[in-house]
Amino acid sequence: MAEKSENKLEKIVSLCKRRGFIFPGSEIYGGLSGFYDYGPLGNELQFNIKHAWWNDVVRKNDNIVGLKADIIMNPRTWESSGHVLGFSDPMVECKKCHLRFRPDLLEDKKCPNCGGKEFSEARQFNLMFKTFVGPVEDSASVAYLRPETAGGIFVNFKNVLDTMRVKVPFGIAQIGKAFRNEVNPKDYIFRTREFEQMELEYFVKPGTDDEWFKKWVADRMAWYESIGLKNIRKFQQPKEELAHYSKGTTDIEYEFPFGWKEIEGIANRTDFDLKAHSAGSGQDLLYTDPDTGEKFVPYVIEPSAGVDRIALAVLCDAFNEEKERVVLKLHSKLAPYKAAVFPLLKNKPELVEKARGVYMELRKHFNVAWDDRGNIGKRYYSQDEIGTPMCITIDFDTLNDDTVTVRDRDTMEQKRVHISELAGLIQKAIE
Ligand code: GAP
């Protein structure tokens, strides 16, 4: 059972700031609500999450290809997709301080800013960020920052079909930034205004969509297990909460310190998008079966995951306070550093030289940390806090027999290993 208290989240926020995972966005100017920057370790963590997802979704399946579309697209894309008219949240204004909030997120119907209890009638507020393309700022040059990466996939459906010899069922995957002008950014990096999505649009023959939907829900659950995430569950969205394009959506939720919340949604988008873009663009987006000649508009199953929410879930899951240490028990696949190398003593040049050799050799293959400060205990503490799975100490015996001490983060057990075995040991932990 996950620790419920907000206190745990505060401790994670503090660790992330102190150890270079996550900083408030543009902090020296007082920050900007709903924006965060990832520091060196947070960037590595995100990179590892994206790498694990890409490997599982694209590399493992030879009928899935990748794509990198632009963030700013022809605004007609978002008219066809329904986002210009329909992508909005209700918003109320506090009559006392005039700040605006999503009514469903107000606790005890009180203004979180001033405590006021009177609000305006709810108004619909479109969540897309607007900008202008070119030097003239008029309605003809309005464009949007994409609210989901999926749009880029749908408008390139025909390009991929024509160039990649793919046959239904096949998928197009994309990782990239999405933007939503959320009324209430909330819960640290859980609900932000700029975030990253990992999305797959999987095109299938109508009639086979329910089977594929089940398969993708199962596959996605298995992926979370493969990155060591516990405390997850499936949640079927009730009909009245479905997005305008969805026939059915199953969320994968994680038990955060602030409750069970969605980290990924798997939707059956039917043929809504291809039909809408075909009508909007006037282009034929029909698929012709090369074997039978049958023509149809494919249905789409869409697993859509948020990198930032997964990063937060992984950090919450990994965070442990033990008697004398704080430890992030991250899966080796996700840990920013796969190992840390220490010379036993900093003032013994022969030890430092030997340790540097081991360190530089391992760095050719893995992200490895170097630490020669303080005593070994402090170095272990420091590496535990950032989730480094193993610490490698070079001592006087190493100079004679090329063996080193390897200390395991989770069990804190130590064993003697030959230098030639280190790379294999790290690789095994990752796999
Ligand atoms: N293309 C479908 C789509 O965008 P969504 O449920 O709105 O569906 C998918 O978003 C995922 O994107 C969510 O499960 C979540 O992980 C992430 N996400 C959505 N809004 C977010 C926000 N404001 N901040 C951080 N992540 C967000």
Side-chain angles (χ1 to χ4, degrees):
M1 173 86 166
E3 192 185 332
K4 274 272 182 333
S5 76
E6 295 292 324
N7 201 11
K8 176 173 174 181
L9 186 64
E10 276 164 27
K11 287 176 187 166
I12 292 170
V13 173
S14 153
L15 187 152
C16 285
K17 171 89 190 342
R18 200 162 24 86
R19 299 305 309 269
F21 280 88
I22 302 166
F23 308 127
S26 38
E27 192 183 10
I28 60 168
Y29 289 103
L32 185 63
S33 171
F35 294 89
Y36 287 90
D37 294 335
Y38 285 78
L41 298 195
N43 183 41
E44 287 291 334
L45 173 65
Q46 271 216 353
F47 177 83
N48 294 338
I49 291 170
K50 290 186 270 186
H51 189 70
W53 185 89
W54 196 261
N55 268 344
D56 196 65
V57 172
V58 183
R59 297 274 179 271
K60 212 174 79 182
N61 297 296
D62 66 356
N63 64 343
I64 297 182
V65 294
L67 180 81
K68 188 168 179 292
D70 269 345
I71 286 169
I72 296 183
M73 304 175 64
N74 187 313
R76 285 169 59 203
T77 308
W78 306 114
E79 286 168 19
S80 301
S81 68
H83 284 83
V84 170
L85 277 183
F87 193 57
S88 53
D89 268 351
M91 192 186 65
V92 291
E93 188 174 305
C94 169
K95 288 195 172 165
K96 202 162 153 200
C97 70
H98 301 290
L99 285 186
R100 292 166 182 181
F101 303 95
R102 248 175 71 176
D104 57 320
L105 298 181
L106 286 178
E107 275 160 31
D108 304 329
K109 300 208 166 35
K110 261 204 322 220
C111 170
N113 182 50
C114 71
K117 287 188 169 170
E118 278 192 73
F119 296 93
S120 66
E121 284 294 305
R123 276 199 309 125
Q124 287 300 319
F125 170 75
N126 194 292
L127 298 184
M128 282 197 295
F129 276 100
K130 264 189 198 163
T131 186
F132 299 95
V133 175
V136 184
E137 296 193 3
D138 63 13
S139 59
S141 61
V142 165
Y144 304 96
L145 304 193
R146 66 181 176 203
E148 58 172 7
T149 65
I153 298 182
F154 293 123
V155 302
N156 280 292
F157 170 75
K158 197 162 160 24
N159 282 335
V160 172
L161 205 56
D162 291 347
T163 52
M164 298 305 294
R165 290 182 293 126
V166 281
K167 272 169 52 171
V168 165
F170 75 94
I172 307 178
Q174 175 164 227
I175 298 180
K177 289 275 189 169
F179 302 81
R180 295 182 190 175
N181 199 1
E182 297 282 357
V183 181
N184 296 126
K186 208 171 176 273
D187 295 325
Y188 194 31
I189 55 168
F190 178 82
R191 188 185 307 283
T192 54
R193 291 180 163 137
E194 173 173 345
F195 53 95
E196 206 159 9
Q197 290 185 315
M198 306 188 286
E199 297 202 300
L200 166 68
E201 307 304 324
Y202 197 73
F203 301 95
V204 305
K205 193 168 179 190
T208 65
D209 48 308
D210 289 339
E211 276 311 299
W212 281 112
F213 182 82
K214 274 192 220 139
K215 182 200 167 313
W216 276 110
V217 172
D219 272 27
R220 297 302 304 139
M221 288 293 286
W223 180 74
Y224 286 102
E225 273 165 40
S226 79
I227 60 166
L229 193 65
K230 298 175 288 297
N231 301 317
I232 56 169
R233 72 176 186 193
K234 290 182 274 184
F235 171 75
Q236 199 180 337
Q237 283 190 13
K239 282 260 177 298
E240 61 279 10
E241 278 177 27
L242 291 177
H244 59 281
Y245 49 71
S246 175
K247 166 180 154 183
T249 298
T250 296
D251 289 339
I252 297 179
E253 297 186 331
Y254 173 76
E255 190 177 21
F256 288 99
F258 41 89
W260 285 99
K261 301 276 175 185
E262 170 194 342
I263 53 176
E264 167 160 357
I266 299 131
N268 183 340
R269 287 182 82 130
T270 68
D271 53 6
F272 172 88
D273 299 274
L274 289 181
K275 277 191 170 156
H277 288 299
S278 184
S281 65
Q283 300 285 316
D284 174 6
L285 299 180
L286 274 176
Y287 172 78
T288 308
D289 187 312
D291 303 320
T292 63
E294 187 190 353
K295 286 181 187 293
F296 58 87
V297 180
Y299 266 39
V300 174
I301 307 302
E302 178 197 63
S304 170
V307 178
D308 310 77
R309 287 192 187 174
I310 295 172
L312 183 57
V314 157
L315 286 167
C316 292
D317 221 38
F319 182 84
N320 278 276
E321 286 177 299
E322 294 176 0
K323 251 190 244 141
E324 281 168 11
R325 63 175 190 157
V326 170
V327 54
L328 280 188
K329 293 188 174 170
L330 293 169
H331 193 295
S332 287
K333 227 182 246 182
L334 303 186
Y337 293 117
K338 307 304 174 197
V341 177
F342 313 150
L344 180 65
L345 298 168
K346 186 181 174 176
N347 56 2
K348 296 285 173 199
E350 62 276 35
L351 287 184
V352 173
E353 192 190 337
K354 187 79 181 166
R356 287 299 292 183
V358 172
Y359 168 67
M360 292 312 289
E361 191 52 36
L362 289 175
R363 273 190 75 92
K364 287 184 191 164
H365 311 283
F366 311 101
N367 194 27
V368 175
W370 170 264
D371 199 351
D372 58 9
R373 300 162 306 165
N375 61 38
I376 292 286
K378 281 194 181 138
R379 296 181 207 165
Y380 285 157
Y381 186 92
S382 168
Q383 294 300 326
D384 286 347
E385 211 184 29
I386 58 173
T388 309
M390 59 182 88
C391 291
I392 300 162
T393 304
I394 278 74
D395 56 23
F396 291 104
D397 286 341
T398 317
L399 302 178
N400 297 324
D401 62 6
D402 266 358
T403 64
V404 295
T405 301
V406 174
R407 181 264 197 181
D408 181 276
R409 176 196 66 200
D410 298 345
T411 61
M412 295 194 280
E413 275 167 15
Q414 304 189 5
K415 61 180 175 188
R416 213 61 202 171
V417 168
H418 196 270
I419 287 173
S420 61
E421 293 173 65
L422 286 173
L425 208 62
I426 297 173
Q427 189 59 40
K428 198 170 154 223
I430 293 172
E431 279 163 16

